[in-house]
Amino acid sequence: MIATRGIAPAACRGARLFCLATNSTFSPSRALPGRIYASDDGRDETVGRLESMTGSSQAETSVVENGQPQAAGKPVASQKEVNKFASTFAPRASGSTGKPNPAYKGSWLYTVFDVQAWAALVVGGLLSFNVIFPSDEPDIARLMGMWSIWMFTIPSLRARECTQREKDALNLLFLLVPLANVLLPFVWKNFGFIFTCDIVLLFGVFQWKGYWTQEEAE
């Protein structure tokens, strides 16, 4: 190797730029020595040192999520995005501020939310099928009945203490029910039909998430 002089300041500047590009910290005490050697192929040995210290610039990093290593470019799980969206726009669940949920299983508040959820489902069905406040024309009562699952049942079940499976199912339903209510009128403009589809969706998602089998196990 041939010793070269006078390029140490340039090498330090290059190291500083490299640190800025990689969001690392440049420390003068760790700067390369004032004498830099060039190999026979003309490649600065400093570059080799930097690459050996930081690894290849094109190497993929990995993250650990839920205890499992994942590749850096891997898309985030859809359930995580659903939970984040529902937590942002859905009514805040009781106890979501980090404090214990007062509507724990067995408490009177848990019973209130539970009864409210299923009572809203029954009343919504009667309104949708034109049993209560019958009318020959579409009106606000039938519209409220069609949306009762999304406006009352899901938020009430979400407000009480629930398992992770139930919470995931409710977060998913908070997104799917309004989507169904907007698209289904293009198939059939009937309040009872749309409400029935919401019921099927509600129990179908609970079954898919294993909520019923979990209750039986408990």
Side-chain angles (χ1 to χ4, degrees), residues 122-141:
V122 173
V123 174
L126 295 176
L127 288 171
S128 298
F129 283 96
N130 209 22
V131 176
I132 304 178
F133 306 117
S135 173
D136 295 332
E137 300 291 335
D139 57 9
I140 189 65

Side-chain angles (χ1 to χ4, degrees), residues 34 60 65 81 109 185 214:
E60 292 186 358
E65 184 177 350
E81 295 177 356
L109 191 56
Q214 178 179 272

Side-chain angles (χ1 to χ4, degrees), residues 121-135 139 141-146 148 188 190-199:
L121 187 145
V122 173
V123 174
L126 295 176
L127 288 171
S128 298
F129 283 96
N130 209 22
V131 176
I132 304 178
F133 306 117
S135 173
D139 57 9
R142 300 183 71 184
L143 184 65
M144 289 283 289
M146 185 188 78
S148 61
W188 187 16
N190 183 280
F191 291 105
F193 165 72
I194 297 174
F195 181 83
T196 303
C197 291
D198 289 346
I199 292 289

Side-chain angles (χ1 to χ4, degrees), residues 4-207:
T4 60
R5 299 173 180 274
I7 62 172
C12 290
R13 286 194 297 271
R16 184 179 288 106
L17 291 174
F18 179 84
C19 292
L20 290 175
T22 57
N23 293 325
S24 57
T25 305
F26 175 77
S27 174
S29 62
R30 297 176 60 186
L32 297 175
R35 186 182 298 272
I36 300 175
Y37 297 94
S39 60
D40 295 337
D41 59 358
R43 186 169 179 268
D44 195 347
E45 190 180 7
T46 305
V47 177
R49 292 184 183 180
L50 291 174
E51 289 182 355
S52 64
M53 293 168 59
T54 61
S56 174
S57 59
Q58 301 299 325
E60 292 186 358
T61 58
S62 61
V63 295
V64 176
E65 184 177 350
N66 297 330
Q68 298 296 331
Q70 296 182 352
K74 189 174 182 179
V76 183
S78 58
Q79 184 62 53
K80 185 177 180 180
E81 295 177 356
V82 168
N83 292 342
K84 182 179 179 181
F85 183 89
S87 300
T88 302
F89 296 99
R92 187 178 297 276
S94 298
S96 59
T97 57
K99 299 179 181 179
N101 192 335
Y104 57 88
K105 195 167 186 178
S107 66
W108 66 270
L109 191 56
Y110 182 98
T111 304
V112 168
F113 283 133
D114 211 26
V115 171
Q116 176 179 293
W118 302 116
L121 187 145
V122 173
V123 174
L126 295 176
L127 288 171
S128 298
F129 283 96
N130 209 22
V131 176
I132 304 178
F133 306 117
S135 173
D136 295 332
E137 300 291 335
D139 57 9
I140 189 65
R142 300 183 71 184
L143 184 65
M144 289 283 289
M146 185 188 78
W147 284 93
S148 61
I149 293 178
W150 187 73
M151 291 191 301
F152 302 108
T153 301
I154 294 175
S156 296
L157 292 176
R158 201 169 173 274
R160 61 185 175 82
E161 185 181 54
C162 52
T163 63
Q164 187 60 45
R165 287 185 181 180
E166 187 178 6
K167 186 177 294 184
D168 290 344
L170 292 171
N171 287 338
L172 188 58
L173 285 166
F174 183 79
L175 302 181
L176 293 180
V177 169
L179 186 64
N181 288 0
V182 170
L183 296 179
L184 286 175
F186 292 99
V187 179
W188 187 16
K189 295 180 181 179
N190 183 280
F191 291 105
F193 165 72
I194 297 174
F195 181 83
T196 303
C197 291
D198 289 346
I199 292 289
V200 172
L201 190 61
L202 175 70
F203 288 97
V205 171
F206 274 152
Q207 179 65 33

